[in-house]
Amino acid sequence: MLHHYGIAGTRVVGWDIKQRAAVGENIVHLCFLNATGVHYDLAKMVINKYPCLVNDIYISDEYYGESALHMAIVNENQEMVHFLCKNGADIHERAYGAFFCPEDQKLSRKDVSTQEGIVLDDNTNYESHTYWGEYPLSFAACLGFEDMVRYLLAQGACPNKKDSNGNTVLHMMVIQDKIDMYDLLLEIGCYCTCQCKKPVANIMNNQGLTPLTLAAKMARKEMFQHILTREREVFWQYGEVTCAAFSLKDLDTVSKDGHINDKCALSIITHEESLSHLALFDGILHNLLNEKWKHVCRYRFYQLLVLYVVFLISLSVAMFLRPLDDLNCAVTANGTVPYSAGGLPTSDGVHASPGCDPCFLLTTVKTHTNQQVRAGFEIFTLLFAFFYIIIVIREIVFQEGFKSVFRGMVHNPLRLLFTLSCVLLLVALIPRFTCQVGYEDHIAVAALILAWPYSLMFCRGFALVGPFVVMIYKMLKKDFLIFFVIYMIFVIGFSQAMFLVVSGYDDRAVDEHLFTRWFAAGLGLIVLSLGEFEELYDQVVNSNSPFKVLGLIMFFLFIILGALLIVNMLIAMMGNTYLKVAETEKEWTRQWARIVLATERMLTPKKRLAVQELYSKSLDSSGDKALIMRLRHDKDREQSHVSHDP
């Protein structure tokens, strides 16, 4: 009979789909489930009598696609594998069922009416006890059955077929971390007679990862180094020293056309956060970073540092010279509030005094020398911001595209803040020429605050202070976030209670009592956490509330919980983070690598290719670049040194 699985075609089955068992199995599958000699003999008899049953599959969602060949491989029965293949078993049958899917993809599985397979979310970590690549060859390789792998390859099994995640059998060997089987597939696969011919090690899966970059993604250090060693080209070897060329195709961030390759091993390892990825910086990647730093990034880094310092000085001087002491107008929400000639606001706050000039930032330039200096620094600052925005726009439009540039700023949020600062400086021109001084002040203050954190990015480039910047990052990302959530729960709860109990019955003026407003009460408790409790204690004691005693109890309770317990918890968490970062020797290497890649992103594609020519060589007509290295093999470890000798 025919089992319809979609409008694209049908599948021939031999056992009535309405007479299947609980999970869609037939009689042959039941024989393989029991896996005894008698049941195998029975399965042979049934298949000899009804040959079409050899390719019947499970039809339930959980095990869909699993055939008798899959089951024979799992049962490690070489004889039945040979029998099934001899009787026409499909060696490219795919087990699509949820049971054979990575754990984090099971909830995202979707059926498509136009195809038999399923659609999965590409974002996965591939973790599962039964994710074996869907194909019989992948099953055998993942389970480590060498004889079955050899036999299936001899029968024409294609090692380059992709599963639902786009993974070939070589990808699966990386996921399962089976180095010996990876070598076997490449060695034996070269002689297979299938249409795929030999296994290809540079096929990308649905995440755009080759086996090498997948090993980098999953932090498989031994597999990563092994694949690099297999793919290198050895020029000469003398004793413990080997001179070899390592292809940069999947290693370097610079692609053939000069654009940034975010799927390369160097980029993946640099932007991961786990400690296991730090070990991958040994050897060739560390040397590759050194070459990038030496040929272009070091000069560019110090050049950007000098420009940034000049920008900060210019911005700070421009802010410092603003005529704040001689203002004739003050700021309100809707523009300006008039000031009297003496510099104080008028009593009604509505009618302007005779000396009010809302455009004083423009007019004072004509009469005051220091304001002319201020204007000069402001012009330089605005020009710097303008050209920086032009550089970013050029990266988006002509070089990398918005997605790539945005991804780079996500990995380097300090650059994103600095970009926003430059945008705000240009936006501040609007209220400047419309004489809305208040709006300009707010924008200028925000721009100044966003500009300074970018200095931490340059601090990471120095080994003396770089590790401490890393500690600040980790503390803000984890420790302070946890502390802030718990701390704000206490502050909000206690501030409401203090506002109702203490200030609700107090008839003193608002500006004399911090607990007369709910928001001010919260600020008061935050100040209390910093140790300034004497004035707040007097406010509670001297209040007219009939619940003064209850207010004092809550006051001292917050000191214990908020000021002592939670704050000291934050200190302990930060101390733990400090010790973890201090014990990680290579953490600064990762931060340094991020600086190198962030600096490289600022170059044009043409410039990147020119720099790549300085530390690499072309080995053939394909145009692929390679890094020439001399390797010295020690007993316990491999030390590597860069050489440009062919």
Side-chain angles (χ1 to χ4, degrees), residues 117-357:
I118 45 90
V119 177
L120 301 174
D121 184 2
D122 292 338
N123 295 321
T124 176
N125 54 17
Y126 305 110
E127 291 183 0
S128 174
H129 294 294
T130 54
Y131 174 49
W132 297 322
E134 300 181 358
Y135 293 97
L137 177 62
S138 297
F139 268 54
C142 289
L143 295 173
F145 302 148
E146 180 178 334
D147 291 339
M148 291 186 185
V149 171
R150 293 176 180 271
Y151 179 78
L152 291 172
L153 288 174
Q155 292 297 312
C158 180
N160 297 325
K161 283 188 173 294
K162 296 183 178 182
D163 65 4
S164 299
N165 283 302
N167 291 323
T168 66
V169 65
L170 293 181
H171 287 93
M172 295 307 304
M173 294 305 95
V174 174
I175 294 173
Q176 299 294 332
D177 202 13
K178 294 185 177 295
I179 297 178
D180 294 339
M181 191 61 67
Y182 184 92
D183 291 340
L184 177 67
L185 287 164
L186 289 175
E187 294 168 2
I188 304 299
C190 294
Y191 304 100
C192 65
T193 58
C194 64
Q195 294 180 353
C196 294
K197 298 183 179 179
K198 64 179 182 181
V200 180
N202 59 0
I203 296 177
M204 295 184 181
N205 63 9
N206 292 352
Q207 293 188 8
L209 303 175
T210 64
L212 176 64
T213 54
L214 180 60
K217 180 73 174 179
M218 302 187 73
R220 302 275 198 258
K221 181 180 179 181
E222 293 184 2
M223 178 65 78
F224 181 76
Q225 297 290 349
H226 182 74
I227 296 176
L228 284 177
T229 302
R230 282 194 61 94
E231 295 180 353
R232 71 184 182 181
E233 180 179 348
V234 178
F235 294 134
W236 53 262
Q237 186 172 358
Y238 185 78
E240 295 181 350
V241 181
T242 301
C243 181
F246 292 84
S247 174
L248 296 179
K249 183 177 181 181
D250 292 328
L251 283 177
D252 199 2
T253 51
V254 181
S255 60
K256 282 186 176 181
D257 56 1
H259 289 86
I260 295 296
N261 179 15
D262 290 316
K263 296 296 184 179
C264 70
L266 179 58
S267 179
I268 292 173
I269 295 171
T270 299
H271 294 122
E272 289 291 336
E273 297 289 345
S274 68
L275 295 177
S276 56
H277 284 87
L278 292 177
L280 299 180
F281 278 113
D282 289 336
I284 183 172
L285 289 184
H286 193 275
N287 288 326
L288 179 59
L289 285 171
N290 275 326
E291 291 298 300
K292 286 177 173 289
W293 175 259
K294 180 174 64 176
H295 287 98
V296 64
C297 292
R298 177 173 55 187
Y299 170 77
R300 184 79 172 182
F301 174 79
Y302 288 112
Q303 183 185 49
L304 292 174
L305 175 59
V306 172
L307 290 175
Y308 176 71
V309 171
V310 172
F311 168 79
L312 283 183
I313 293 175
S314 177
L315 178 60
S316 301
V317 172
M319 292 293 181
F320 177 76
L321 294 178
R322 289 171 71 92
L324 300 178
D325 296 334
D326 298 325
L327 289 181
N328 290 323
C329 294
V331 179
T332 61
N334 61 352
T336 60
V337 168
Y339 267 52
S340 64
L344 297 175
T346 57
S347 59
D348 56 6
V350 176
H351 301 290
S353 62
C356 178
D357 181 11

Side-chain angles (χ1 to χ4, degrees), residues 617-636:
K617 291 184 179 295
S618 297
L619 299 181
D620 50 38
S621 59
S622 64
D624 292 337
K625 301 295 183 179
L627 182 66
I628 312 300
M629 297 176 57
R630 286 200 306 267
L631 309 173
R632 185 176 71 249
H633 302 273
D634 293 337
K635 293 182 179 180
D636 299 325

Side-chain angles (χ1 to χ4, degrees), residues 382 423-433 436 439-441 443-444:
L382 292 173
V423 172
L424 290 177
L425 288 175
L426 297 178
V427 172
L429 290 175
I430 299 176
R432 167 66 65 88
F433 288 101
Q436 300 291 326
Y439 295 130
E440 181 187 353
D441 286 342
I443 296 174

Side-chain angles (χ1 to χ4, degrees), residues 388 409-420 450-458 460 469 473:
Y388 186 82
M409 289 190 176
V410 170
H411 291 310
N412 186 17
L414 296 179
R415 191 190 180 198
L416 176 61
L417 295 179
F418 184 70
T419 303
L420 292 176
L450 294 177
W452 274 95
Y454 196 53
S455 58
L456 295 177
M457 194 277 289
F458 294 99
R460 287 188 301 171
V469 176
Y473 278 169

